[in-house]
Amino acid sequence: MALALASPPLNFPASYYSSAGNCCTTAVSATNIKTTSRRLSLTRKLVAKASEKDDETPSFNPFGFVTDNPSSRSAIQLPEVPAEDGNVGQMLYRIEDKGKDYGSYIKSGGFRWFVRETGSSDTRLGPRGTVVFLHGAPTQSYSYRVVMSQMADAGFHCFAPDWIGFGFSDKPQAGYGFDYTEKEYHEQLDKLLDVLDIKSPFSLVVQGFLVGSYGLTWALKNPSRISKLVILNTPLTASSPIPGLFQQLRVPLLGEFTCQNAIMAERFIEAGSAYVLKVEKADVYRLPYLRSSGPGFALLEAAKRANFKGTSSQIADGFATGRWDTPILVAWGISDKYLSQSIAEEFQKGNPSAVTLKLIEGAGHMPQEDW
């Protein structure tokens, strides 16, 4: 057990005693100094003894999950030379224009949505149909950028909005026109599809927790609008676990603290995958949470109002045999640390005639980002 013990100096410089702010140190008695010295000596002996017993055991670093990770190291600005350290303003300047590939702002329902679009509806280009991509929490539509580009090349017209409260879309304060409920998300999605003039039926791609699940419950309410449904890793059964992040967000005070973690999104992605995000990608997922407190509080409100288990049960029942017959492709990253392969298999067994399951080796919770 390799431990580092930093002993406070007992011989203070003269300037230390002359400082008005530290004048209280002159009251330290010789007896206290001797007692402190004996305690330090005993502590050193205990540490040395522990080190002899277990020299090969790595020391525990409570911040290792951050500092051992290249993308997170960049987030908290830990350069090799401390004098080169930057501040939040400098970091924002460096990454401010990143991550808006194929995107523009669209006004709908009184809110400003950020929507990515690739391909064209021009019939002269031989479109193969429209595809709408919906992301989960706590991420954004940026995760679909590569897939959207490839789909456009294949002749599809693609849209991927950032849900209200996420990514680059508006993040209204709860109680002022939007309360982050499932019903409101459904209503605002209806309005956005109308503004984008997306004709039915279209193909829908959904991935992720919370708002990702709301994409599936929206589909259950609008089956005639869906021609094909593609589900990437999303809670699909009543037994689907709830990640620790969302559990923490629902705990008073802890939730308020957790939601303001600027590296929350990138860490959530990496914790659910076998891969570490490259710094330039992590920058984009971090940016909304770094720019203001709004995205964190939006996520907090959405998590507090969500019925995770109830929504998962609704999805499992709604897509079962006899209740849904539109083709469903479940493309599942089997290295997902949040949702196991058995969840996808259980869902497929619930409606084998409509659901096709494709397992993606190596991909984790966000196959569209991993592959």
Side-chain angles (χ1 to χ4, degrees), residues 139-173:
T139 63
Q140 52 172 293
S141 63
Y142 176 73
S143 64
Y144 290 116
R145 67 200 178 282
V146 177
V147 175
M148 290 180 67
S149 175
Q150 295 174 343
M151 294 288 282
D153 292 342
F156 292 93
H157 191 195
C158 304
F159 295 91
D162 284 346
W163 286 105
I164 296 296
F166 295 85
F168 299 105
S169 289
D170 276 353
K171 301 150 188 82
Q173 183 177 342

PDB file of all heavy atoms in Angstrom, residues 139-173:
ATOM      1  N   THR A 139     -27.232  12.944 -22.822  1.00  0.00           N
ATOM      2  CA  THR A 139     -26.407  13.260 -23.990  1.00  0.00           C
ATOM      3  C   THR A 139     -27.127  14.206 -24.953  1.00  0.00           C
ATOM      4  O   THR A 139     -27.916  15.045 -24.543  1.00  0.00           O
ATOM      5  CB  THR A 139     -25.978  11.961 -24.703  1.00  0.00           C
ATOM      6  OG1 THR A 139     -27.130  11.273 -25.206  1.00  0.00           O
ATOM      7  CG2 THR A 139     -25.256  11.028 -23.729  1.00  0.00           C
ATOM      8  N   GLN A 140     -26.852  14.071 -26.243  1.00  0.00           N
ATOM      9  CA  GLN A 140     -27.417  14.968 -27.242  1.00  0.00           C
ATOM     10  C   GLN A 140     -27.334  14.321 -28.618  1.00  0.00           C
ATOM     11  O   GLN A 140     -26.744  13.258 -28.799  1.00  0.00           O
ATOM     12  CB  GLN A 140     -26.669  16.301 -27.229  1.00  0.00           C
ATOM     13  CG  GLN A 140     -25.148  16.146 -27.345  1.00  0.00           C
ATOM     14  CD  GLN A 140     -24.424  17.447 -27.528  1.00  0.00           C
ATOM     15  OE1 GLN A 140     -24.574  18.083 -28.570  1.00  0.00           O
ATOM     16  NE2 GLN A 140     -23.632  17.865 -26.542  1.00  0.00           N
ATOM     17  N   SER A 141     -27.924  14.989 -29.604  1.00  0.00           N
ATOM     18  CA  SER A 141     -28.003  14.429 -30.962  1.00  0.00           C
ATOM     19  C   SER A 141     -26.646  14.315 -31.637  1.00  0.00           C
ATOM     20  O   SER A 141     -26.525  13.663 -32.681  1.00  0.00           O
ATOM     21  CB  SER A 141     -28.929  15.284 -31.831  1.00  0.00           C
ATOM     22  OG  SER A 141     -28.415  16.611 -31.972  1.00  0.00           O
ATOM     23  N   TYR A 142     -25.625  14.934 -31.074  1.00  0.00           N
ATOM     24  CA  TYR A 142     -24.267  14.841 -31.617  1.00  0.00           C
ATOM     25  C   TYR A 142     -23.849  13.388 -31.825  1.00  0.00           C
ATOM     26  O   TYR A 142     -23.082  13.073 -32.737  1.00  0.00           O
ATOM     27  CB  TYR A 142     -23.308  15.548 -30.667  1.00  0.00           C
ATOM     28  CG  TYR A 142     -21.851  15.473 -31.030  1.00  0.00           C
ATOM     29  CD1 TYR A 142     -21.327  16.209 -32.089  1.00  0.00           C
ATOM     30  CD2 TYR A 142     -20.966  14.671 -30.297  1.00  0.00           C
ATOM     31  CE1 TYR A 142     -19.981  16.160 -32.412  1.00  0.00           C
ATOM     32  CE2 TYR A 142     -19.625  14.609 -30.600  1.00  0.00           C
ATOM     33  CZ  TYR A 142     -19.130  15.349 -31.660  1.00  0.00           C
ATOM     34  OH  TYR A 142     -17.795  15.283 -31.977  1.00  0.00           O
ATOM     35  N   SER A 143     -24.368  12.494 -31.001  1.00  0.00           N
ATOM     36  CA  SER A 143     -23.989  11.087 -31.077  1.00  0.00           C
ATOM     37  C   SER A 143     -24.360  10.453 -32.415  1.00  0.00           C
ATOM     38  O   SER A 143     -23.785   9.439 -32.811  1.00  0.00           O
ATOM     39  CB  SER A 143     -24.641  10.289 -29.942  1.00  0.00           C
ATOM     40  OG  SER A 143     -26.053  10.287 -30.072  1.00  0.00           O
ATOM     41  N   TYR A 144     -25.307  11.044 -33.136  1.00  0.00           N
ATOM     42  CA  TYR A 144     -25.781  10.468 -34.398  1.00  0.00           C
ATOM     43  C   TYR A 144     -25.089  11.058 -35.635  1.00  0.00           C
ATOM     44  O   TYR A 144     -25.427  10.689 -36.767  1.00  0.00           O
ATOM     45  CB  TYR A 144     -27.283  10.690 -34.551  1.00  0.00           C
ATOM     46  CG  TYR A 144     -28.146   9.881 -33.619  1.00  0.00           C
ATOM     47  CD1 TYR A 144     -28.947  10.495 -32.656  1.00  0.00           C
ATOM     48  CD2 TYR A 144     -28.184   8.488 -33.699  1.00  0.00           C
ATOM     49  CE1 TYR A 144     -29.756   9.749 -31.807  1.00  0.00           C
ATOM     50  CE2 TYR A 144     -28.986   7.737 -32.844  1.00  0.00           C
ATOM     51  CZ  TYR A 144     -29.775   8.382 -31.908  1.00  0.00           C
ATOM     52  OH  TYR A 144     -30.576   7.642 -31.075  1.00  0.00           O
ATOM     53  N   ARG A 145     -24.152  11.971 -35.463  1.00  0.00           N
ATOM     54  CA  ARG A 145     -23.604  12.723 -36.595  1.00  0.00           C
ATOM     55  C   ARG A 145     -23.019  11.830 -37.690  1.00  0.00           C
ATOM     56  O   ARG A 145     -23.239  12.085 -38.881  1.00  0.00           O
ATOM     57  CB  ARG A 145     -22.541  13.707 -36.086  1.00  0.00           C
ATOM     58  CG  ARG A 145     -21.303  13.006 -35.525  1.00  0.00           C
ATOM     59  CD  ARG A 145     -20.479  13.867 -34.599  1.00  0.00           C
ATOM     60  NE  ARG A 145     -19.346  13.096 -34.090  1.00  0.00           N
ATOM     61  CZ  ARG A 145     -19.444  12.203 -33.112  1.00  0.00           C
ATOM     62  NH1 ARG A 145     -20.599  11.950 -32.558  1.00  0.00           N
ATOM     63  NH2 ARG A 145     -18.361  11.552 -32.704  1.00  0.00           N
ATOM     64  N   VAL A 146     -22.273  10.787 -37.309  1.00  0.00           N
ATOM     65  CA  VAL A 146     -21.631   9.923 -38.304  1.00  0.00           C
ATOM     66  C   VAL A 146     -22.667   9.067 -39.023  1.00  0.00           C
ATOM     67  O   VAL A 146     -22.663   8.948 -40.244  1.00  0.00           O
ATOM     68  CB  VAL A 146     -20.557   9.032 -37.639  1.00  0.00           C
ATOM     69  CG1 VAL A 146     -19.946   8.089 -38.670  1.00  0.00           C
ATOM     70  CG2 VAL A 146     -19.477   9.889 -36.995  1.00  0.00           C
ATOM     71  N   VAL A 147     -23.589   8.484 -38.251  1.00  0.00           N
ATOM     72  CA  VAL A 147     -24.637   7.652 -38.836  1.00  0.00           C
ATOM     73  C   VAL A 147     -25.494   8.478 -39.796  1.00  0.00           C
ATOM     74  O   VAL A 147     -25.852   8.022 -40.887  1.00  0.00           O
ATOM     75  CB  VAL A 147     -25.515   7.035 -37.730  1.00  0.00           C
ATOM     76  CG1 VAL A 147     -26.682   6.265 -38.338  1.00  0.00           C
ATOM     77  CG2 VAL A 147     -24.687   6.124 -36.845  1.00  0.00           C
ATOM     78  N   MET A 148     -25.814   9.704 -39.402  1.00  0.00           N
ATOM     79  CA  MET A 148     -26.645  10.575 -40.248  1.00  0.00           C
ATOM     80  C   MET A 148     -25.967  10.883 -41.578  1.00  0.00           C
ATOM     81  O   MET A 148     -26.607  10.912 -42.628  1.00  0.00           O
ATOM     82  CB  MET A 148     -26.952  11.873 -39.521  1.00  0.00           C
ATOM     83  CG  MET A 148     -27.899  11.740 -38.346  1.00  0.00           C
ATOM     84  SD  MET A 148     -28.200  13.321 -37.539  1.00  0.00           S
ATOM     85  CE  MET A 148     -29.110  14.186 -38.834  1.00  0.00           C
ATOM     86  N   SER A 149     -24.676  11.110 -41.515  1.00  0.00           N
ATOM     87  CA  SER A 149     -23.924  11.395 -42.740  1.00  0.00           C
ATOM     88  C   SER A 149     -23.945  10.192 -43.678  1.00  0.00           C
ATOM     89  O   SER A 149     -24.162  10.330 -44.891  1.00  0.00           O
ATOM     90  CB  SER A 149     -22.486  11.767 -42.379  1.00  0.00           C
ATOM     91  OG  SER A 149     -21.695  11.949 -43.539  1.00  0.00           O
ATOM     92  N   GLN A 150     -23.736   9.006 -43.114  1.00  0.00           N
ATOM     93  CA  GLN A 150     -23.730   7.793 -43.930  1.00  0.00           C
ATOM     94  C   GLN A 150     -25.123   7.499 -44.488  1.00  0.00           C
ATOM     95  O   GLN A 150     -25.254   7.057 -45.632  1.00  0.00           O
ATOM     96  CB  GLN A 150     -23.220   6.628 -43.095  1.00  0.00           C
ATOM     97  CG  GLN A 150     -21.763   6.789 -42.665  1.00  0.00           C
ATOM     98  CD  GLN A 150     -21.302   5.699 -41.719  1.00  0.00           C
ATOM     99  OE1 GLN A 150     -22.112   4.989 -41.135  1.00  0.00           O
ATOM    100  NE2 GLN A 150     -19.992   5.574 -41.552  1.00  0.00           N
ATOM    101  N   MET A 151     -26.150   7.749 -43.686  1.00  0.00           N
ATOM    102  CA  MET A 151     -27.518   7.519 -44.147  1.00  0.00           C
ATOM    103  C   MET A 151     -27.894   8.474 -45.273  1.00  0.00           C
ATOM    104  O   MET A 151     -28.594   8.107 -46.215  1.00  0.00           O
ATOM    105  CB  MET A 151     -28.489   7.681 -42.974  1.00  0.00           C
ATOM    106  CG  MET A 151     -28.347   6.635 -41.895  1.00  0.00           C
ATOM    107  SD  MET A 151     -28.951   5.011 -42.401  1.00  0.00           S
ATOM    108  CE  MET A 151     -30.719   5.262 -42.233  1.00  0.00           C
ATOM    109  N   ALA A 152     -27.421   9.707 -45.175  1.00  0.00           N
ATOM    110  CA  ALA A 152     -27.678  10.680 -46.244  1.00  0.00           C
ATOM    111  C   ALA A 152     -27.020  10.230 -47.536  1.00  0.00           C
ATOM    112  O   ALA A 152     -27.604  10.345 -48.624  1.00  0.00           O
ATOM    113  CB  ALA A 152     -27.168  12.055 -45.828  1.00  0.00           C
ATOM    114  N   ASP A 153     -25.806   9.714 -47.431  1.00  0.00           N
ATOM    115  CA  ASP A 153     -25.102   9.207 -48.612  1.00  0.00           C
ATOM    116  C   ASP A 153     -25.856   8.047 -49.248  1.00  0.00           C
ATOM    117  O   ASP A 153     -25.761   7.810 -50.452  1.00  0.00           O
ATOM    118  CB  ASP A 153     -23.689   8.754 -48.240  1.00  0.00           C
ATOM    119  CG  ASP A 153     -22.791   9.923 -47.856  1.00  0.00           C
ATOM    120  OD1 ASP A 153     -23.129  11.071 -48.200  1.00  0.00           O
ATOM    121  OD2 ASP A 153     -21.762   9.679 -47.185  1.00  0.00           O
ATOM    122  N   ALA A 154     -26.608   7.330 -48.419  1.00  0.00           N
ATOM    123  CA  ALA A 154     -27.380   6.183 -48.916  1.00  0.00           C
ATOM    124  C   ALA A 154     -28.755   6.603 -49.446  1.00  0.00           C
ATOM    125  O   ALA A 154     -29.536   5.753 -49.867  1.00  0.00           O
ATOM    126  CB  ALA A 154     -27.537   5.153 -47.804  1.00  0.00           C
ATOM    127  N   GLY A 155     -29.051   7.908 -49.380  1.00  0.00           N
ATOM    128  CA  GLY A 155     -30.297   8.395 -49.958  1.00  0.00           C
ATOM    129  C   GLY A 155     -31.407   8.718 -48.986  1.00  0.00           C
ATOM    130  O   GLY A 155     -32.537   8.995 -49.398  1.00  0.00           O
ATOM    131  N   PHE A 156     -31.128   8.728 -47.680  1.00  0.00           N
ATOM    132  CA  PHE A 156     -32.161   9.028 -46.691  1.00  0.00           C
ATOM    133  C   PHE A 156     -32.128  10.502 -46.280  1.00  0.00           C
ATOM    134  O   PHE A 156     -31.087  11.155 -46.331  1.00  0.00           O
ATOM    135  CB  PHE A 156     -31.969   8.158 -45.439  1.00  0.00           C
ATOM    136  CG  PHE A 156     -32.221   6.698 -45.668  1.00  0.00           C
ATOM    137  CD1 PHE A 156     -31.180   5.838 -46.007  1.00  0.00           C
ATOM    138  CD2 PHE A 156     -33.501   6.174 -45.553  1.00  0.00           C
ATOM    139  CE1 PHE A 156     -31.407   4.482 -46.221  1.00  0.00           C
ATOM    140  CE2 PHE A 156     -33.738   4.823 -45.762  1.00  0.00           C
ATOM    141  CZ  PHE A 156     -32.688   3.970 -46.103  1.00  0.00           C
ATOM    142  N   HIS A 157     -33.280  11.001 -45.880  1.00  0.00           N
ATOM    143  CA  HIS A 157     -33.393  12.353 -45.341  1.00  0.00           C
ATOM    144  C   HIS A 157     -33.481  12.222 -43.825  1.00  0.00           C
ATOM    145  O   HIS A 157     -34.423  11.615 -43.309  1.00  0.00           O
ATOM    146  CB  HIS A 157     -34.649  13.037 -45.898  1.00  0.00           C
ATOM    147  CG  HIS A 157     -34.715  14.500 -45.608  1.00  0.00           C
ATOM    148  ND1 HIS A 157     -35.869  15.246 -45.752  1.00  0.00           N
ATOM    149  CD2 HIS A 157     -33.761  15.376 -45.195  1.00  0.00           C
ATOM    150  CE1 HIS A 157     -35.623  16.506 -45.431  1.00  0.00           C
ATOM    151  NE2 HIS A 157     -34.356  16.608 -45.095  1.00  0.00           N
ATOM    152  N   CYS A 158     -32.513  12.784 -43.104  1.00  0.00           N
ATOM    153  CA  CYS A 158     -32.376  12.523 -41.672  1.00  0.00           C
ATOM    154  C   CYS A 158     -32.515  13.775 -40.820  1.00  0.00           C
ATOM    155  O   CYS A 158     -32.029  14.854 -41.182  1.00  0.00           O
ATOM    156  CB  CYS A 158     -31.008  11.897 -41.395  1.00  0.00           C
ATOM    157  SG  CYS A 158     -30.658  10.394 -42.334  1.00  0.00           S
ATOM    158  N   PHE A 159     -33.167  13.600 -39.675  1.00  0.00           N
ATOM    159  CA  PHE A 159     -33.307  14.665 -38.689  1.00  0.00           C
ATOM    160  C   PHE A 159     -32.935  14.113 -37.312  1.00  0.00           C
ATOM    161  O   PHE A 159     -33.317  12.996 -36.969  1.00  0.00           O
ATOM    162  CB  PHE A 159     -34.747  15.180 -38.628  1.00  0.00           C
ATOM    163  CG  PHE A 159     -35.229  15.852 -39.881  1.00  0.00           C
ATOM    164  CD1 PHE A 159     -35.859  15.114 -40.873  1.00  0.00           C
ATOM    165  CD2 PHE A 159     -35.066  17.216 -40.065  1.00  0.00           C
ATOM    166  CE1 PHE A 159     -36.321  15.719 -42.032  1.00  0.00           C
ATOM    167  CE2 PHE A 159     -35.526  17.837 -41.222  1.00  0.00           C
ATOM    168  CZ  PHE A 159     -36.151  17.084 -42.200  1.00  0.00           C
ATOM    169  N   ALA A 160     -32.238  14.939 -36.525  1.00  0.00           N
ATOM    170  CA  ALA A 160     -31.908  14.547 -35.150  1.00  0.00           C
ATOM    171  C   ALA A 160     -31.959  15.789 -34.264  1.00  0.00           C
ATOM    172  O   ALA A 160     -31.032  16.607 -34.280  1.00  0.00           O
ATOM    173  CB  ALA A 160     -30.534  13.898 -35.083  1.00  0.00           C
ATOM    174  N   PRO A 161     -33.024  15.967 -33.503  1.00  0.00           N
ATOM    175  CA  PRO A 161     -33.115  17.132 -32.612  1.00  0.00           C
ATOM    176  C   PRO A 161     -32.458  16.876 -31.266  1.00  0.00           C
ATOM    177  O   PRO A 161     -32.360  15.737 -30.806  1.00  0.00           O
ATOM    178  CB  PRO A 161     -34.632  17.303 -32.443  1.00  0.00           C
ATOM    179  CG  PRO A 161     -35.165  15.899 -32.526  1.00  0.00           C
ATOM    180  CD  PRO A 161     -34.271  15.173 -33.512  1.00  0.00           C
ATOM    181  N   ASP A 162     -31.994  17.953 -30.645  1.00  0.00           N
ATOM    182  CA  ASP A 162     -31.656  17.897 -29.229  1.00  0.00           C
ATOM    183  C   ASP A 162     -32.964  18.126 -28.471  1.00  0.00           C
ATOM    184  O   ASP A 162     -33.644  19.130 -28.697  1.00  0.00           O
ATOM    185  CB  ASP A 162     -30.670  19.013 -28.854  1.00  0.00           C
ATOM    186  CG  ASP A 162     -29.251  18.740 -29.316  1.00  0.00           C
ATOM    187  OD1 ASP A 162     -28.959  17.593 -29.696  1.00  0.00           O
ATOM    188  OD2 ASP A 162     -28.438  19.690 -29.310  1.00  0.00           O
ATOM    189  N   TRP A 163     -33.321  17.218 -27.591  1.00  0.00           N
ATOM    190  CA  TRP A 163     -34.530  17.400 -26.793  1.00  0.00           C
ATOM    191  C   TRP A 163     -34.446  18.722 -26.028  1.00  0.00           C
ATOM    192  O   TRP A 163     -33.351  19.201 -25.694  1.00  0.00           O
ATOM    193  CB  TRP A 163     -34.692  16.277 -25.781  1.00  0.00           C
ATOM    194  CG  TRP A 163     -35.128  14.937 -26.289  1.00  0.00           C
ATOM    195  CD1 TRP A 163     -34.351  13.832 -26.454  1.00  0.00           C
ATOM    196  CD2 TRP A 163     -36.464  14.536 -26.647  1.00  0.00           C
ATOM    197  NE1 TRP A 163     -35.111  12.766 -26.894  1.00  0.00           N
ATOM    198  CE2 TRP A 163     -36.411  13.173 -27.016  1.00  0.00           C
ATOM    199  CE3 TRP A 163     -37.696  15.196 -26.678  1.00  0.00           C
ATOM    200  CZ2 TRP A 163     -37.533  12.452 -27.415  1.00  0.00           C
ATOM    201  CZ3 TRP A 163     -38.819  14.492 -27.089  1.00  0.00           C
ATOM    202  CH2 TRP A 163     -38.738  13.126 -27.448  1.00  0.00           C
ATOM    203  N   ILE A 164     -35.601  19.308 -25.705  1.00  0.00           N
ATOM    204  CA  ILE A 164     -35.627  20.498 -24.867  1.00  0.00           C
ATOM    205  C   ILE A 164     -34.928  20.179 -23.539  1.00  0.00           C
ATOM    206  O   ILE A 164     -35.195  19.167 -22.893  1.00  0.00           O
ATOM    207  CB  ILE A 164     -37.084  20.942 -24.591  1.00  0.00           C
ATOM    208  CG1 ILE A 164     -37.765  21.366 -25.900  1.00  0.00           C
ATOM    209  CG2 ILE A 164     -37.118  22.085 -23.571  1.00  0.00           C
ATOM    210  CD1 ILE A 164     -37.142  22.567 -26.559  1.00  0.00           C
ATOM    211  N   GLY A 165     -34.000  21.044 -23.158  1.00  0.00           N
ATOM    212  CA  GLY A 165     -33.237  20.824 -21.933  1.00  0.00           C
ATOM    213  C   GLY A 165     -31.901  20.145 -22.157  1.00  0.00           C
ATOM    214  O   GLY A 165     -31.105  20.032 -21.225  1.00  0.00           O
ATOM    215  N   PHE A 166     -31.625  19.741 -23.399  1.00  0.00           N
ATOM    216  CA  PHE A 166     -30.397  18.997 -23.684  1.00  0.00           C
ATOM    217  C   PHE A 166     -29.636  19.621 -24.861  1.00  0.00           C
ATOM    218  O   PHE A 166     -30.221  20.303 -25.703  1.00  0.00           O
ATOM    219  CB  PHE A 166     -30.719  17.537 -24.007  1.00  0.00           C
ATOM    220  CG  PHE A 166     -31.304  16.773 -22.848  1.00  0.00           C
ATOM    221  CD1 PHE A 166     -32.664  16.812 -22.592  1.00  0.00           C
ATOM    222  CD2 PHE A 166     -30.486  16.037 -21.999  1.00  0.00           C
ATOM    223  CE1 PHE A 166     -33.210  16.122 -21.518  1.00  0.00           C
ATOM    224  CE2 PHE A 166     -31.020  15.345 -20.921  1.00  0.00           C
ATOM    225  CZ  PHE A 166     -32.390  15.395 -20.673  1.00  0.00           C
ATOM    226  N   GLY A 167     -28.351  19.337 -24.914  1.00  0.00           N
ATOM    227  CA  GLY A 167     -27.539  19.774 -26.039  1.00  0.00           C
ATOM    228  C   GLY A 167     -27.595  21.275 -26.229  1.00  0.00           C
ATOM    229  O   GLY A 167     -27.401  22.065 -25.304  1.00  0.00           O
ATOM    230  N   PHE A 168     -27.910  21.680 -27.466  1.00  0.00           N
ATOM    231  CA  PHE A 168     -27.925  23.099 -27.810  1.00  0.00           C
ATOM    232  C   PHE A 168     -29.340  23.673 -27.881  1.00  0.00           C
ATOM    233  O   PHE A 168     -29.518  24.826 -28.260  1.00  0.00           O
ATOM    234  CB  PHE A 168     -27.203  23.306 -29.145  1.00  0.00           C
ATOM    235  CG  PHE A 168     -25.753  22.887 -29.121  1.00  0.00           C
ATOM    236  CD1 PHE A 168     -25.342  21.711 -29.724  1.00  0.00           C
ATOM    237  CD2 PHE A 168     -24.797  23.659 -28.474  1.00  0.00           C
ATOM    238  CE1 PHE A 168     -24.010  21.304 -29.698  1.00  0.00           C
ATOM    239  CE2 PHE A 168     -23.473  23.272 -28.434  1.00  0.00           C
ATOM    240  CZ  PHE A 168     -23.072  22.093 -29.053  1.00  0.00           C
ATOM    241  N   SER A 169     -30.350  22.880 -27.547  1.00  0.00           N
ATOM    242  CA  SER A 169     -31.727  23.377 -27.532  1.00  0.00           C
ATOM    243  C   SER A 169     -31.982  24.212 -26.277  1.00  0.00           C
ATOM    244  O   SER A 169     -31.180  24.220 -25.347  1.00  0.00           O
ATOM    245  CB  SER A 169     -32.720  22.210 -27.593  1.00  0.00           C
ATOM    246  OG  SER A 169     -32.720  21.591 -28.864  1.00  0.00           O
ATOM    247  N   ASP A 170     -33.128  24.903 -26.248  1.00  0.00           N
ATOM    248  CA  ASP A 170     -33.486  25.723 -25.093  1.00  0.00           C
ATOM    249  C   ASP A 170     -33.591  24.883 -23.831  1.00  0.00           C
ATOM    250  O   ASP A 170     -33.958  23.696 -23.889  1.00  0.00           O
ATOM    251  CB  ASP A 170     -34.829  26.420 -25.337  1.00  0.00           C
ATOM    252  CG  ASP A 170     -34.674  27.716 -26.142  1.00  0.00           C
ATOM    253  OD1 ASP A 170     -33.528  28.134 -26.381  1.00  0.00           O
ATOM    254  OD2 ASP A 170     -35.709  28.292 -26.534  1.00  0.00           O
ATOM    255  N   LYS A 171     -33.303  25.525 -22.713  1.00  0.00           N
ATOM    256  CA  LYS A 171     -33.393  24.869 -21.402  1.00  0.00           C
ATOM    257  C   LYS A 171     -34.204  25.765 -20.478  1.00  0.00           C
ATOM    258  O   LYS A 171     -33.651  26.424 -19.590  1.00  0.00           O
ATOM    259  CB  LYS A 171     -31.997  24.609 -20.851  1.00  0.00           C
ATOM    260  CG  LYS A 171     -31.175  23.718 -21.787  1.00  0.00           C
ATOM    261  CD  LYS A 171     -29.703  24.019 -21.694  1.00  0.00           C
ATOM    262  CE  LYS A 171     -28.937  23.263 -22.761  1.00  0.00           C
ATOM    263  NZ  LYS A 171     -28.986  23.953 -24.067  1.00  0.00           N
ATOM    264  N   PRO A 172     -35.511  25.812 -20.669  1.00  0.00           N
ATOM    265  CA  PRO A 172     -36.351  26.701 -19.853  1.00  0.00           C
ATOM    266  C   PRO A 172     -36.360  26.302 -18.383  1.00  0.00           C
ATOM    267  O   PRO A 172     -36.241  25.122 -18.052  1.00  0.00           O
ATOM    268  CB  PRO A 172     -37.742  26.553 -20.483  1.00  0.00           C
ATOM    269  CG  PRO A 172     -37.718  25.199 -21.121  1.00  0.00           C
ATOM    270  CD  PRO A 172     -36.312  25.017 -21.620  1.00  0.00           C
ATOM    271  N   GLN A 173     -36.516  27.283 -17.526  1.00  0.00           N
ATOM    272  CA  GLN A 173     -36.632  26.993 -16.098  1.00  0.00           C
ATOM    273  C   GLN A 173     -37.969  26.331 -15.836  1.00  0.00           C
ATOM    274  O   GLN A 173     -39.000  26.756 -16.338  1.00  0.00           O
ATOM    275  CB  GLN A 173     -36.516  28.279 -15.286  1.00  0.00           C
ATOM    276  CG  GLN A 173     -36.558  28.068 -13.785  1.00  0.00           C
ATOM    277  CD  GLN A 173     -36.378  29.355 -13.018  1.00  0.00           C
ATOM    278  OE1 GLN A 173     -35.905  30.345 -13.577  1.00  0.00           O
ATOM    279  NE2 GLN A 173     -36.749  29.364 -11.752  1.00  0.00           N
TER     280      GLN A 173
END
